[in-house]
Amino acid sequence: GQMVPTNVRNEPHTMITTSVRGHLASQDFGPAFGWSRCHPMALFDAPINTEYSQDMQPLERMLRDLSRRASALILWLDCDREGEAISDEVRKVCIKGNPRLQSQNRIFRAKFSTVLPGEIQRALRSLGRINEHFVQAVLARSEHDLRVGAAFTRFQTLRLQKKFDGFDSGVISYGPCQFPTLGFVVERWARIETFVPEDFWTIEMSIRLNGDGSVDNPDQNGNSNNNQQSRPIKLTWKRGRLYD
């Protein structure tokens, strides 16, 4: 990151700026709860493991290494619930690298809506804390999505594999977000498929004005009397289309 001399809360600091790529951690069930090792209903009570995928491990190591040299942590993630949850993930990783950040209460949350200089300076002057309620809301939603999605995906896949040919190697996924999205797509597809075109009428009219503002009257063949200086003006009809 870039080293930027600054002044936060009337104390001289050197600010180290870095970034992450969305959520650092992911949640999943352990090996004991694989497809063939438990009934789908068991997933509603199964313990959930938090892991860092292979592509996120370099970011985790970087945050731990940088936090060892830091006397304070300012979280500049997006100011919404998802950003609050990612802030919590970054906080946990940095505390592993430097527990003093937590024990000395030196973890702050910046609130901002733009990256303009004035907004950034205002955020630095009004640092707050992570909204723990938002974090818990995101964690609850994530756990619900995982448990419901995994359980119903396994249930309907195993069920349909026994009833229909051709499903032996496929997975029929289910997700709390998938069904509403699929509903929008199907609704739009159905409207297109059942659309019955109707004849309609509209008025199209235009005039040509000469350079002096007078109307250019074309001859009987529709040719302008002053092609070089006249300009066309298209008129619109407020009603748009008129159906029978």
Side-chain angles (χ1 to χ4, degrees), residues 4 6-7 15 76 110-126:
V4 183
T6 186
N7 187 290
M15 185 174 290
W76 291 85
K111 300 291 185 179
F112 62 99
S113 55
T114 69
V115 292
L116 296 174
E119 183 78 3
I120 298 302
Q121 294 170 8
R122 184 203 62 78
L124 280 171
R125 292 192 300 267
S126 58

Side-chain angles (χ1 to χ4, degrees), residues 67-78:
S67 64
R68 293 189 181 100
R69 296 183 281 151
S71 60
L73 172 64
I74 303 177
L75 300 161
W76 291 85
L77 286 301
D78 290 347

Side-chain angles (χ1 to χ4, degrees), residues 150-193:
F152 276 85
T153 294
R154 296 186 189 186
F155 174 78
Q156 67 182 10
T157 299
L158 297 174
R159 179 83 173 175
L160 294 176
Q161 282 178 346
K162 298 177 182 178
K163 287 187 169 293
F164 300 99
D165 297 331
F167 285 112
D168 296 339
S169 60
V171 174
I172 307 170
S173 65
Y174 173 92
C177 295
Q178 291 179 2
F179 265 55
T181 303
L182 180 60
F184 295 142
V185 175
V186 172
E187 180 182 5
R188 181 59 179 166
W189 172 84
R191 292 180 63 183
I192 294 175
E193 290 295 312

Side-chain angles (χ1 to χ4, degrees), residues 28-30 33 45-49 147:
D28 205 348
F29 301 106
F33 295 90
D45 299 313
I48 296 177
N49 299 331
R147 294 188 185 279

Side-chain angles (χ1 to χ4, degrees), residues 206-210 216 227 229-235:
S206 64
I207 61 174
R208 300 186 71 92
L209 296 180
N210 297 319
D216 181 18
N227 289 328
Q229 297 183 2
S230 62
R231 57 189 179 89
I233 296 179
K234 293 185 177 181
L235 305 178

Side-chain angles (χ1 to χ4, degrees), residues 46-66:
I48 296 177
N49 299 331
T50 299
E51 301 175 348
Y52 296 91
S53 59
Q54 187 173 358
D55 63 326
M56 288 297 180
Q57 291 177 4
L59 283 174
E60 182 197 9
R61 290 194 297 268
M62 176 199 67
L63 290 173
R64 280 194 278 109
D65 293 341
L66 290 176

